[in-house]
Amino acid sequence: MSREALLKRKRRWILLHLLVLMLIIPVIMGLAYMLAEGIDTERVSTVYLPLAILVAAYAGLGLWKGYRMEIPNYRLVEIVKCTNCGYENVTTPKVGDYINMEKEPCPKCGRPMKVFLIYRERVRSSKKGG
Amino acid sequence: MPQGNFYELLLWLILLTIFAYASREIDIFRTIKEIEAYVEGFRRATQKAIETTLKEFRNVAKETESRRVSRIEERVREMVDSVFLEPEDKDPYGLMDKLKHLMLVEDSALINEIKSLVPRAPKVAVENLKDLIEATRQLNLIYKYVEHYYRLGKKFKSIWLLLQLHSLLPFLVEEVSALESSLEAFSKGLPIGDSVGCLVAARFIQLYGKGEIREVVEDTILSKAEFKGREVLVIKAKGPSGVTGRLDDALAMVVKSRREPKVIITVDAALKLEGERSGSIAEGIGVAIGGLGVEKFNIERLATKLKIPLYAILIKMAGPEALSIMSKEIALSIDKALRRVERVIEERSEVGDTVVLVGVGNTIGVYP
């Protein structure tokens, strides 16, 4: 799945669980109030309140999972190497670059430099979801 | 039996029946919704592929000042919708030859069609556009088939049909992800994971080649190299455009025009299993070539006829990795694969022997 699709999915997931959490918190507060006031104590304490807490815990867990969902991010790397002295230069590939393509002369020895490798590398951001 | 108990029992039975029915309905509903989400994802991927292909066509047309820009959208959509009809296999005799013929016809028809739309485009751009069309076509095909079975299952409320489709979705998602990620590589012309076999062959030419590189068959090169007293004939697709070459024809030509090779080694990317590491190397006996199997068949036939041992070096990667821009893990495995090739040549041939090394895969972004 593309990065955009994953980002969309992450946003939707977080939003859904946040909505459930926002709805269930007032319910829990209401039930706690009923318990404190002694209204229908038996049902509230044995059925409604545990059920509401369970839903809140599930939504909270979902929210946490959504926040931790990592969206892979990549950067392109091109290694240009001198065919004579082995001097290396790491850059970003341009459209049309290919492996073994001749590039500008080596700044050290002046001999031609060639594209040695082109690859993509995963960038790990310190903040999850990056 | 007291009447109250009887009615309660009846009520329970009715409730249980309703529950059993509802549970099945909920199951179907959940499966349908899940498949629906995937179908929508596949539709979006196909749409993105068509847009990327059209954008690339327009870019090439603009760069090369081609005049038929107005026809591009219509023709690209037609090309994406066109299908490859596999030959009749009720009589399997000559099946591979028929398949090869159809493949070559399809290839040249697609190239001619692209050339007619962007007549001044360079060969590299034409080949990359062809790869883009092929990836888009495959995405379109997957989307259409999945949607077909989804609609059929929904129409007849067939849980079994829907469950079968549902169980196949993880594999289809892998394939769609692979094709989706190939779009960036094909539009930029950068090497993909599948190019690793060609890259190993190119490195071998760089290290031990004698300088002479000839295009022996269309889009396929042959280079002579010398390694520890052995003559190594390296065959690979001619880069840097996105072609796979005609490796079987090149090999047949080598065998016909020179003395028989002692060993044939093929290097290619291979699908890894979930527990395996990307970029790990495996050795094998046989021919490492994917696709429809025509080239594999032809090389096997040739080698069997002449009793030439076939060895393979496989570089493992996941499906999406094979078609997206080459990952660092795979790029770093090239040296390891090269050492394995050298070891196989050293161990399985004698000084003075001729060895054929075939770099298999799409050579996009790799020269020669």
Side-chain angles (χ1 to χ4, degrees), chain B residues 200 204 227 265 267 280-284 312-315 333-348 357:
Chain B
V200 171
F204 197 91
F227 176 73
I265 305 163
V267 188
S280 57
I281 317 281
E283 270 177 49
I313 306 290
L314 304 165
I315 299 134
S333 71
I334 292 162
D335 282 339
K336 280 190 280 173
L338 200 64
R339 296 289 93 78
R340 286 284 188 105
V341 170
E342 290 171 353
R343 206 188 72 198
V344 170
I345 295 174
E346 232 182 310
E347 285 176 0
R348 290 165 197 179
L357 172 66

Side-chain angles (χ1 to χ4, degrees), chain B residues 164-331:
Chain B
Q164 279 183 66
L165 181 61
H166 193 259
S167 67
L168 282 175
L169 283 174
F171 305 105
L172 292 170
V173 168
E174 278 273 294
E175 209 170 328
V176 169
S177 302
L179 290 164
E180 211 182 345
S181 48
S182 75
L183 300 173
E184 190 192 358
F186 290 142
S187 55
K188 288 181 178 165
L190 298 175
I192 56 173
D194 189 43
S195 311
V196 73
C198 293
L199 194 46
V200 171
R203 282 269 190 281
F204 197 91
I205 295 171
Q206 258 186 316
L207 288 171
Y208 308 108
K210 288 178 176 173
E212 187 201 358
I213 296 170
R214 281 192 303 130
E215 188 171 347
V216 282
V217 190
E218 196 188 343
D219 292 329
T220 316
I221 57 140
L222 171 74
S223 177
K224 226 161 123 181
E226 202 185 315
F227 176 73
K228 294 200 173 171
R230 284 93 167 159
E231 182 190 46
V232 183
L233 304 169
V234 187
I235 296 171
K236 72 175 278 294
K238 186 188 172 193
S241 55
V243 290
T244 49
R246 293 189 203 165
L247 306 171
D248 52 343
D249 290 343
L251 187 68
M253 190 165 275
V254 164
V255 171
K256 206 173 156 187
S257 58
R258 291 163 182 268
R259 62 197 172 104
E260 279 172 30
K262 187 82 177 172
V263 173
I264 296 172
I265 305 163
T266 44
V267 188
D268 194 12
L271 277 182
K272 76 175 182 80
L273 299 173
E274 276 304 309
E276 288 178 317
R277 253 184 337 104
S278 282
S280 57
I281 317 281
E283 270 177 49
I285 308 290
V287 183
I289 296 186
L292 287 174
V294 176
E295 290 179 316
K296 188 176 162 81
F297 174 83
N298 286 339
I299 295 176
E300 280 169 354
R301 184 167 59 180
L302 188 78
T304 310
K305 194 177 153 196
L306 302 169
K307 304 263 180 293
I308 306 168
L310 292 161
Y311 299 110
I313 306 290
L314 304 165
I315 299 134
K316 299 287 185 85
M317 61 190 74
E321 268 181 310
L323 288 177
S324 50
I325 297 173
M326 190 178 283
S327 68
K328 191 180 180 182
E329 293 77 25
I330 297 164

Side-chain angles (χ1 to χ4, degrees), chain B residues 47 50-51 53-55 57-58 68-80 117 133:
Chain B
Q47 197 52 40
I50 292 173
E51 276 159 22
T53 309
L54 280 171
K55 194 178 146 200
F57 259 97
R58 285 194 194 107
R68 295 172 185 180
V69 185
S70 56
R71 275 184 61 213
I72 286 177
E73 187 164 348
E74 185 196 335
R75 283 303 297 138
V76 165
R77 284 186 193 278
E78 279 170 13
M79 277 191 271
V80 168
L117 290 172
I133 292 272

Side-chain angles (χ1 to χ4, degrees), chain B residues 118-136:
Chain B
V118 278
R120 290 181 203 164
K123 193 178 181 323
V124 176
V126 172
E127 291 291 352
N128 292 351
L129 286 173
K130 191 192 90 186
D131 285 341
L132 267 176
I133 292 272
E134 276 171 358
T136 311

Side-chain angles (χ1 to χ4, degrees), chain B residues 4-175:
Chain B
N5 279 359
F6 173 74
Y7 285 127
E8 265 179 30
L9 185 71
L10 197 68
L11 190 72
W12 268 110
L13 280 173
I14 291 167
L15 274 174
L16 275 174
T17 316
I18 291 171
F19 181 74
Y21 177 75
S23 142
R24 186 176 169 272
E25 286 297 303
I26 289 168
D27 240 15
I28 296 176
F29 178 77
R30 203 176 54 87
T31 312
I32 285 175
K33 282 289 150 201
E34 255 177 61
I35 297 172
E36 226 169 58
Y38 280 105
V39 171
E40 179 55 22
F42 294 170
R43 191 194 62 77
R44 252 187 254 141
T46 309
Q47 197 52 40
K48 185 186 157 195
I50 292 173
E51 276 159 22
T52 310
T53 309
L54 280 171
K55 194 178 146 200
E56 218 29 54
F57 259 97
R58 285 194 194 107
N59 284 347
V60 174
K62 203 175 155 189
E63 279 165 22
T64 55
E65 293 168 358
S66 300
R67 285 182 218 146
R68 295 172 185 180
V69 185
S70 56
R71 275 184 61 213
I72 286 177
E73 187 164 348
E74 185 196 335
R75 283 303 297 138
V76 165
R77 284 186 193 278
E78 279 170 13
M79 277 191 271
V80 168
D81 278 330
S82 68
V83 287
F84 177 78
L85 303 168
E86 286 191 17
E88 183 51 59
D89 58 359
K90 280 189 195 113
D91 176 10
Y93 179 75
L95 183 66
M96 285 298 166
D97 294 333
K98 287 193 281 180
L99 197 56
K100 178 148 188 167
H101 170 65
L102 289 179
M103 277 166 62
L104 293 178
V105 170
E106 191 212 17
D107 205 54
S108 65
L110 204 54
I111 292 278
N112 288 338
E113 188 68 50
I114 295 167
K115 276 183 182 168
S116 76
L117 290 172
V118 278
R120 290 181 203 164
K123 193 178 181 323
V124 176
V126 172
E127 291 291 352
N128 292 351
L129 286 173
K130 191 192 90 186
D131 285 341
L132 267 176
I133 292 272
E134 276 171 358
T136 311
R137 194 189 271 176
Q138 286 223 44
L139 276 170
N140 191 38
L141 204 69
I142 294 174
Y143 163 61
K144 279 187 172 178
Y145 269 102
V146 172
E147 203 206 15
H148 168 73
Y149 285 110
Y150 156 70
R151 279 177 188 269
L152 213 64
K154 208 175 151 185
K155 188 174 163 185
F156 293 104
K157 280 213 165 184
S158 164
I159 184 79
W160 302 114
L161 196 61
L162 290 167
L163 283 177
Q164 279 183 66
L165 181 61
H166 193 259
S167 67
L168 282 175
L169 283 174
F171 305 105
L172 292 170
V173 168
E174 278 273 294
E175 209 170 328

